[in-house]
Amino acid sequence: MNVVALMPVKGFHNAKQRLSPLLSGAARELLAETMYRDVLRQVRLARGLAGVFVVTGDDKVAAIASSAGAEVIRENAENGETSAVDFARLELKRAGCQAVLIIPGDMPLVRAADVEAVLAQVPVDAVAPYALLVPSHDKLGTNALLLAPPDVIQLRFGHDSFAFHMGQVAAQGLPARFVENEHIALDIDEPKDLERFLAYGYQGGESTRVAQELLVERGARLAQGYGGA
């Protein structure tokens, strides 16, 4: 089964608003871009993928993808993660892709080995239909999905998406397959996520350094009496 990776990535403007208690708008934009670059680099390094695609409606995101050697699927407008993924996976199916690994760009602990570990869960003789889910650390979100064919189940990202997706798997009569991976399980949405990420001390990409520097800068501003993020 040939599997391609699909990364849904929106523009960095107003990114990660739930981090606003900690970081300014400019800081959140920088962090979002850095995480995307780190995840894209690792996905590109992963062995066993037939290709890497980024779906976006943003010029800068598309340019970064192209410069990294990924293919770009362009949306006319950004209408949310679910809409972007639905659009892209139908495009990939029309192009003849057998299976897709959907993996967002805000999980800075992800390494090539983690992607390979997910791919290794698929038996070499597996045939469609097939679905494998990777939940978030709290088992509420779905942080990655491997689907064959790409549109085998309906998707809905957001709160409690893991339960929704497992329900879709059951509705299609597919075995309930999921794998836990602590690196893929951590996406950065809230301050507690950023704290958990930094606690790992991972130095494999730029996200750790950038996050630490942004928080130090925030602390310095607060100490000088500027207040706010």
Side-chain angles (χ1 to χ4, degrees):
M1 182 185 295
N2 291 329
V3 183
V4 300
L6 173 63
M7 294 179 60
V9 184
K10 63 181 181 180
F12 308 122
H13 182 62
N14 290 327
K16 299 297 173 187
Q17 295 190 32
R18 280 183 280 173
L19 292 177
S20 57
L22 286 180
L23 301 175
S24 68
R28 298 196 308 273
E29 289 181 26
L30 176 58
L31 180 61
E33 179 180 342
T34 304
M35 291 192 296
Y36 164 50
R37 289 180 182 272
D38 280 349
V39 176
L40 178 58
R41 183 180 304 111
Q42 293 300 317
V43 173
R44 286 279 297 145
L45 289 172
R47 295 167 296 181
L49 289 169
V52 178
F53 294 80
V54 173
V55 57
T56 187
D58 184 80
D59 290 341
K60 185 173 185 179
V61 172
I64 293 170
S66 296
S67 66
E71 300 291 331
V72 177
I73 299 175
R74 291 300 300 260
E75 291 185 280
N76 292 327
E78 294 185 338
N79 296 310
E81 184 177 9
T82 302
S83 176
V85 171
D86 283 347
F87 170 71
R89 60 190 182 136
L90 289 179
E91 290 291 307
L92 290 171
K93 184 179 180 180
R94 291 190 189 103
C97 292
Q98 294 178 305
V100 61
L101 173 63
I102 301 163
I103 184 163
D106 61 349
M107 300 181 294
L109 286 176
V110 167
R111 309 163 199 188
D114 298 308
V115 177
E116 293 167 5
V118 173
L119 296 175
Q121 297 297 316
V122 184
V124 294
D125 58 349
V127 294
Y130 187 92
L132 176 71
L133 280 60
V134 185
S136 59
H137 62 88
D138 57 9
K139 304 296 190 299
L140 293 177
T142 311
N143 283 21
L145 305 95
L146 197 156
L147 305 176
D151 61 347
V152 66
I153 63 170
Q154 181 180 348
L155 299 182
R156 187 187 70 196
F157 294 101
H159 179 70
D160 210 17
S161 65
F162 183 65
F164 175 83
H165 293 144
M166 290 296 283
Q168 289 295 307
V169 168
Q172 295 299 320
L174 303 177
R177 297 186 176 98
F178 70 93
V179 58
E180 297 184 43
N181 180 291
E182 64 176 344
H183 296 156
I184 295 176
L186 182 59
D187 55 336
I188 308 300
D189 286 319
E190 301 178 355
K192 63 182 180 181
D193 301 324
L194 193 57
E195 294 170 6
R196 187 178 290 111
F197 164 58
L198 291 175
Y200 274 86
Y202 176 49
Q203 301 298 326
E206 290 296 304
S207 297
T208 300
R209 178 187 62 79
V210 167
Q212 289 172 335
E213 290 178 356
L214 291 174
L215 291 176
V216 168
E217 178 183 329
R218 174 183 182 272
R221 287 177 59 84
L222 290 175
Q224 293 170 11
Y226 286 100

